[in-house]
Amino acid sequence: MKNKLKVLFTAAEAAPLAKVGGLGDVVGSLPKALLRLGIDVRIFLPLYGSIDRKKLDLKLISKNIIIETSAGNEKFSLWQTRLPHSRLIVYLIDHRFFSGKEIYRKNKFVEGSVGIDDIKKFTFFSCALLEAAKLINFQPNIIHLNDCHVAAVLDFLKTTYLRDNFFKKVKTLYTIHNLASQNVAKPEIIGFSKLDPDLPVIKADLADGDINFMVQGILGADLVSTVSPTYSREILTHYQGAGLEKILEKRRKDLSGITNGIDTAAYDPATDRAIKKRYSLKTVGGKTANKLSLQKKLGWPADPKLALVGVVTRLVWQKGMELLSDRILKLPARFVILGTGSQDVEDRLTALAKAYPDKLAVRIGFDEKLARQIYAAADLFLVPSRFEPCGLTQMIAMRYGTVPVVRKTGGLSDTVDPAVGFAFKKYDREALFKCLKSALDAYYNEPVRWKKLQKTGMKQDFSWDRPAKEYLKLYKKLLKIS
Ligand code: ADP
């Protein structure tokens, strides 16, 4: 290819500007690695109310860009900035739909409602970003869509922009980061967005009354990928297919799995400013100072030896927090959990922490600094997920010399083997108890083995260099170039 490959990369999140979970991490780091491979990649993101405009070097590109909806013309502004600490260009779509503090809201689409629900706002975003690309004359070879929020781009390419030469040659990749979150809307959304209800992929989807944007992504893109090889196989099964296994089966040949990386520069115990004492592979003993500091912060007496088990997670059904039983809390360890999510999971954990104040500390909220302090302070890191497309926390933990204890599912299977951590298969309390107990036995009784586990974990290459090359292969496959 003579010219640089151009990739329009989009999602609802991009760290550090907008992050709820792993999607934000991926979008904030994979494009940087693609850039290093010589690709002209640019991110398109809504300008959320939670983004601190004053901290960004924002350049206004255009005001009053018009998108037609059933409710009349909507105008948006387009801004340009760079992802903090990088040269990666980010275009921000500025419209009142995104002015709220939250990235996601939970209300459903109701035609004529005053408020704006997620599906409506992301459908609007999906159209606006294509209009923005045209306006700045960024003609991509590839549009790389991440998760259902931006899947409507595929529909717009086949309706509103069908006869538009600008996008005529574009190829599309749709990456599933979490099949469980599907964005299902009432058919009114089609009218609102001025999409064509007779488009085969929409018509088929509407047959059961609703439109599912995860389905639009899976059926509408030229290629489909997901974030680990194991998850790419699991989602074809009834157990892990989230009701879409038959739809996915239709794309079996076009479906692949690429294990995520992590931002190894941003997550580095040798340079992390959030932690008490920085350390590296050679000074892993520095973890103890971090443990003592966190114990103090959580109101516990200092105890350098007593094992500390860390958890940093969205507190949702997927993450398996119900497996934490009284029996587990009686093991010789303390537990610290940082998370936010569903009320029922938060309430249960808060109640458990009240019952075991010396053993369990629960902090409800999203707190980047505390998360890093937990990764650095903990001896073990627990990820007992029901399913896990890839999972980043186990990799971040290993980077910080913290030994993972995980359920053998999805990307957890692909990233944690016996050389670096502990895993259990069956989703039940007994299996977790046994696994954690054997990990604790190793921690207390086999110091040499423990050090080796820590160091092997720290030495793993979790950088984005390898996955970025695999994505480049997919892009080339799409463009039929070698
Ligand atoms: P998921 O994408 O399902 O949320 P991942 O393991 O892929 O799970 O990614 C989670 C990311 O979000 C990690 O970077 C983790 O540190 C971060 N994270 C999750 N919950 C919190 C929280 N309450 N506070 C700070 N960071 C969090």
Side-chain angles (χ1 to χ4, degrees), residues 19 21-22 25 267 313-314 319 338-339 365-367 375 392-393:
K19 166 173 161 180
D25 282 314
Y267 291 112
T313 185
R314 290 182 298 118
K319 300 293 180 178
L338 166 65
F366 190 92
D367 187 337
Y375 289 122
L392 301 177
T393 59

Side-chain angles (χ1 to χ4, degrees), residues 330-346:
K330 285 174 188 153
L331 282 166
R334 284 180 182 146
F335 297 76
V336 53
I337 301 177
L338 166 65
T340 174
S342 337
Q343 197 65 47
D344 54 334
V345 185
E346 290 182 0

Side-chain angles (χ1 to χ4, degrees), residues 410-423:
L412 298 171
S413 302
D414 294 328
T415 54
V416 179
D417 64 31
V420 292
F422 298 81

